[in-house]
Amino acid sequence: MGFVGAFERGGRLIGTIRLVPMGLGLTLTDDLLKHLGPQAPSHPGTCWEVGRLVLDEAHRSDVNALRQCLFLSLDYACTLTRVDNLYASCTHVLGRLYRRFAFNSFAADVPLAGTDKRYTLIHGYATEVLASLSGRQVTAH
C-alpha cells in the first residue's frame, strides 16, 4: 500500500522512513486532520504521509544525511506512483527542520484524541520538496 525505506552508510543501517497514501484512514495525519474539521487544508491530487523517519543517533544532527534519505525516498516513490502532496505530523521542532525542505506548517498543537500528545501538521508539494532536497530552485505554487 505504501513504501518503507531503509538507509545504510558504510554497510551500516542508519535509518528508516515510511510513505503511506492518505485518505484511507491509515495515517496519523488523517486522524489529526479530522480534528481540524473545515479548517483542514485541501490540496488537489494525491496525498501521502511521510512518517516514521528514524535516523541513528550518530546521524540525527547531520542535515545532509536527512536531506539524502528524504530525497531518495521521495524520488523512488515518485518514479513508481503519483505523489502530489506530502503531509507529516511531527513535533514543533521537527516542523521547523522540515521547513528547510519546502514544507510549511499549517496547524500547531493539534491534539490526538484520547492522549496528551499534540502535533504540528506540515504540508509540502512533492515537486517543490524534491527540488529543495536536490538543491534546485523551488518554484512556489
Side-chain angles (χ1 to χ4, degrees):
M1 177 83 17
F3 300 95
V4 176
F7 311 102
E8 69 174 62
R9 271 199 175 158
R12 184 168 178 247
L13 186 64
I14 65 160
T16 61
I17 192 169
R18 181 178 75 182
L19 287 92
V20 179
M22 293 179 58
L24 303 171
L26 300 173
T27 71
L28 174 60
T29 304
D30 280 324
D31 292 341
L32 296 172
L33 286 173
K34 287 179 197 169
H35 178 78
L36 296 181
Q39 271 41 47
S42 176
H43 295 97
T46 60
C47 299
W48 290 73
E49 181 188 72
V50 178
R52 307 294 169 133
L53 174 62
V54 178
L55 287 178
D56 181 273
E57 191 172 352
H59 298 277
R60 286 186 195 146
S61 61
D62 183 351
V63 175
N64 287 326
L66 174 61
R67 179 187 310 273
Q68 185 177 24
C69 291
L70 279 172
F71 177 79
L72 291 171
S73 303
L74 296 177
D75 187 53
Y76 179 77
C78 288
T79 60
L80 295 178
T81 192
R82 183 173 172 180
V83 179
D84 297 309
N85 298 282
L86 300 165
Y87 286 87
S89 306
C90 55
T91 65
H92 177 70
V93 172
L94 282 178
R96 287 193 330 228
L97 174 66
Y98 281 110
R99 278 188 238 144
R100 293 181 180 186
F101 309 129
F103 281 90
N104 293 299
S105 173
F106 64 87
D109 260 352
V110 180
L112 178 60
T115 73
D116 293 334
K117 296 179 181 179
R118 296 187 168 276
Y119 293 88
T120 294
L121 301 179
I122 61 174
H123 169 265
Y125 294 101
T127 54
E128 294 175 11
V129 171
L130 276 171
S132 175
L133 291 168
S134 70
R136 295 189 319 262
Q137 182 68 27
V138 177
T139 57
H141 269 80

